[in-house]
Amino acid sequence: MSSEHYSEHDVQREVTDLQAKSATAARIFDLRRIIGGLFVLYGVIVTIAGINPSDATLDKAEGVNINLWTGLGMLALGVFFLVWLKLKPAAPVQEAPRDDE
């Protein structure tokens, strides 16, 4: 057996610290942030590629500037995810009520 003895207060404090770290990690790694950021990044790249298309590229897509439209769509979707994250952030972890109080 270990000679260390933890009081109820020490255990509760450690649980609270772990919950705070978990909530912070959940906010940092929220999928809306990752998906939105990637769609914005790739949307900018594809939109830039579609700003000045070559004639060969337009001929392949039957006259439609597909890079421009796809890039703008990706930008819109990425912005949607980031705005959604800003308007409705991840809910904090709720602490369970204690029975001994």
Side-chain angles (χ1 to χ4, degrees):
M1 289 204 144
S2 173
S3 63
E4 294 182 33
H5 297 313
Y6 290 106
S7 70
E8 180 67 29
H9 178 69
D10 291 339
V11 172
Q12 184 61 33
R13 185 179 32 154
E14 188 172 332
V15 167
T16 303
D17 290 344
L18 288 173
Q19 286 176 337
K21 288 178 184 176
S22 175
T24 301
R27 282 192 300 276
I28 291 172
F29 295 110
D30 191 339
L31 285 178
R32 295 174 293 179
R33 180 185 316 267
I34 296 168
I35 292 171
L38 286 174
F39 267 97
V40 167
L41 176 68
Y42 292 139
V44 167
I45 293 169
V46 174
T47 301
I48 289 172
I51 288 175
N52 198 8
S54 66
D55 291 335
T57 304
L58 288 176
D59 288 342
K60 284 182 191 177
E62 298 181 5
V64 177
N65 190 348
I66 195 72
N67 283 339
L68 181 64
W69 289 110
T70 303
L72 291 174
M74 292 172 77
L75 277 172
L77 184 62
V79 169
F80 166 76
F81 273 98
L82 295 177
V83 168
W84 179 22
L85 176 68
K86 186 73 171 169
L87 293 177
K88 188 153 175 79
V93 176
Q94 298 294 325
E95 186 174 329
R98 295 178 52 182
D99 293 334
D100 61 344
E101 289 184 5

